[in-house]
Structures are given as C-alpha cells and as structure tokens.
C-alpha cells in the first residue's frame, strides 16, 4: 500500500542535515524590531535553523539546501493556489468563491 508523504521540503532537508529551528526567531530567520521593522536574526545568521547537536550556525552547503527547499515550498504553494483558482465554481452564486484578483507575490 502506498503511503503519502506529508513532510515539507524544508522539514526533509533539516532532518537530513540534522538541524533544528532557531529558538530566537523560531525558524523564520527574522525578528520583529521597533515599529514592526524586520531584522535578521543574529543567533542563526538569518537562516532560521542551527545545528541540532552544537547550536552553532550551519555551513554554507546546508544553508543553500535550506534556501532551495524554501523556494521549492513556495513554488508548490503557488501551484496549489493556481489549481484552486482554476476549478469551476459549483453551487449557487451566493456560495461562489471569488477567484479574480489572485496575487501570487
């Protein structure tokens, strides 16, 4: 029987390179500064992940793999939004989902 893989690309990469989410920025790589200005996290060098064993920054190869996985997740998210927007409306007009003005920034 086939199993479905619910692991995201970033989760798969971080498991493979034995990294964990930064406790300061919680995996985003950015911090909220004064007046909502986003600043880069210093504890993980704005990557969002650190070495699980030592808590040190990741090497450049690992950072590149994480960034590639994030781009892949973004592409998958955009494809899912486009597929949802292409489905025909069903039911009555008062239950239709508005699909114009779709922005994929």
């Amino acid at each position: 029987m086939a199993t479905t893989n619910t692991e995201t690309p970033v989760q798969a990469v971080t498991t493979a390179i034995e990294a964990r989410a930064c406790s300061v920025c919680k995996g985003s790589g950015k911090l909220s500064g004064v007046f909502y200005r986003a600043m880069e996290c210093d504890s993980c060098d704005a990557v969002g992940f650190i070495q699980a064993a030592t808590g040190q920054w990741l090497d450049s190869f690992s950072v590149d793999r994480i960034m590639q996985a994030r781009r892949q997740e973004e592409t998958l998210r955009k494809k899912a939004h486009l597929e949802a927007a292409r489905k025909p409306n069903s039911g009555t007009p008062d239950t239709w989902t508005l699909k114009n003005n779709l922005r994929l920034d």
Side-chain angles (χ1 to χ4, degrees):
M1 189 186 296
T3 59
T4 57
N5 186 5
T6 59
E7 191 174 52
T8 65
V10 172
Q11 289 172 339
V13 168
T14 55
T15 303
I17 63 174
E18 297 177 357
R20 63 178 169 87
C22 175
S23 60
V24 177
C25 65
K26 297 178 180 43
S28 68
K30 296 182 180 172
L31 298 171
S32 296
V34 180
F35 305 113
Y36 303 102
R37 182 177 170 197
M39 299 182 304
E40 294 180 346
C41 179
D42 289 333
S43 65
C44 64
D45 197 27
V47 176
F49 295 93
I50 55 176
Q51 294 177 8
T54 63
Q56 299 294 320
W57 290 357
L58 296 172
D59 60 344
S60 61
F61 177 73
S62 300
V63 171
D64 289 341
R65 287 182 65 189
I66 288 175
M67 295 305 165
Q68 184 180 25
R70 283 185 175 163
R71 285 190 299 272
Q72 185 180 4
E73 273 187 6
E74 184 68 19
T75 303
L76 292 173
R77 186 188 64 81
K78 286 181 180 182
K79 281 183 181 180
H81 281 293
L82 282 174
E83 288 174 8
R86 289 186 180 129
K87 289 182 182 175
N89 282 322
S90 61
T92 59
D94 57 336
T95 61
W96 286 353
T97 304
L98 296 178
K99 296 177 183 176
N100 55 357
N101 299 333
L102 176 66
R103 291 185 57 179
L104 298 174
D105 294 339

